[in-house]
Amino acid sequence: MTLFGPRNLLQSVSALETHDLPDCWQIVLSTQDAQSQLAQIRTKLQADLDRGEQIFPSDPWYALRKTPLQQTRVVILGQDPYHGPDQAHGLAFSVQDTVAPPSLRNILKEITRSHPHIDEPVISHDLSHWAQQGVLLLNATLTVAQGRAASHAEYGWQTLTDYLIAATAQQPVPIVYLLWGRHAQSKRTLIEQTTQAQGLPATSRLILDANHPSPLSANRPPHPFIGCNHFVLSNHWLQAQAQKTIDWFATPS
């Protein structure tokens, strides 16, 4: 924490403006329904800021900035941002130069476990290097109050992020969806129905389920996260679809 508080504080609701997002995402968020929902979220966040609440992250749209819609090849869905200081920075499960939270530690553990041929792999806690390759790291709720997990779950964010998820399912290119935990898995129907409505073959999507990487569930049946092999299976499938694979060991540029 700095002298002036956490570095990742939301300073103003102006951070929710969409005019400087990639055009592809601006279009998704430009509908009357999306803009009305966003206005309601701004009102709630402004009231929180006026009361002196600390809200994370500073840039709720960071995932969209890093991964344009047309470049998305893998979608990883989280629930809401980390609620500790200097952690959440707008990418699901990612932190910057701080200690990895437990869920992220299990994600890195599973990648390392599933790539035994790589000696002493080093994976950054900042997953921007995935986002730059087309991995959309999207939380269902894009803001959170300090120290209160899921505190903004009823603010209306999920309506907007469902639009974003549906937009990925409308794309004609092959896309992998990694759904970890019940909340993420509840989006399967949205993905499948949107794909079908676009007249796209179901085979253009790979949807993989596993428990959430949280220590509370990562090793539990019926679908333990540790041992799920999702990172290997994603690349095998992308390669079979003549798509570029993901370098899970890359470093942010």
Side-chain angles (χ1 to χ4, degrees), residues 174-219:
I175 297 179
V176 180
Y177 293 86
L178 303 184
L179 308 183
W180 301 333
R182 288 184 185 177
H183 191 273
Q185 289 160 16
S186 72
K187 307 301 180 182
R188 175 185 278 271
T189 300
L190 172 63
I191 295 162
E192 292 177 338
Q193 290 182 347
T194 305
T195 298
Q196 183 179 27
Q198 289 297 113
L200 299 169
T203 53
S204 66
R205 309 288 178 243
L206 176 64
I207 304 177
L208 298 176
D209 293 346
N211 289 356
H212 193 277
S214 162
L216 295 175
S217 59
N219 289 289

Side-chain angles (χ1 to χ4, degrees), residues 78-116:
Q79 190 159 348
D80 71 331
Y82 297 123
H83 54 84
D86 297 327
Q87 291 185 327
H89 67 116
L91 299 178
F93 297 108
S94 178
V95 296
Q96 289 182 301
D97 56 357
T98 58
V99 174
S103 292
L104 179 56
R105 288 201 297 272
N106 277 334
I107 290 171
L108 305 184
K109 178 180 178 180
E110 171 57 20
I111 296 174
T112 301
R113 185 209 62 79
S114 59
H115 294 80

Side-chain angles (χ1 to χ4, degrees), residues 7-27:
R7 294 165 296 170
N8 61 333
L9 282 175
L10 180 72
Q11 299 293 337
S12 167
V13 295
S14 63
L16 274 65
E17 295 293 337
T18 60
H19 60 82
D20 59 347
L21 293 177
D23 291 346
C24 49
W25 291 122
Q26 284 190 49
I27 292 169

Side-chain angles (χ1 to χ4, degrees), residues 10-21 25-26 29-51 53 55 58-61 64-65 141-143 152 154-158 160:
L10 180 72
Q11 299 293 337
S12 167
V13 295
S14 63
L16 274 65
E17 295 293 337
T18 60
H19 60 82
D20 59 347
L21 293 177
W25 291 122
Q26 284 190 49
L29 296 171
S30 66
T31 66
Q32 183 175 351
D33 286 347
Q35 287 297 309
S36 175
Q37 190 67 51
L38 189 53
Q40 294 179 44
I41 293 170
R42 284 197 197 97
T43 298
K44 292 173 183 176
L45 291 177
Q46 186 61 62
D48 290 343
L49 291 172
D50 290 345
R51 286 193 296 271
E53 284 210 22
I55 298 170
S58 58
D59 182 4
W61 300 126
L64 306 187
R65 298 186 202 284
T141 298
L142 298 184
T143 56
H152 294 176
E154 305 299 326
Y155 276 30
W157 276 119
Q158 292 191 43
L160 289 181

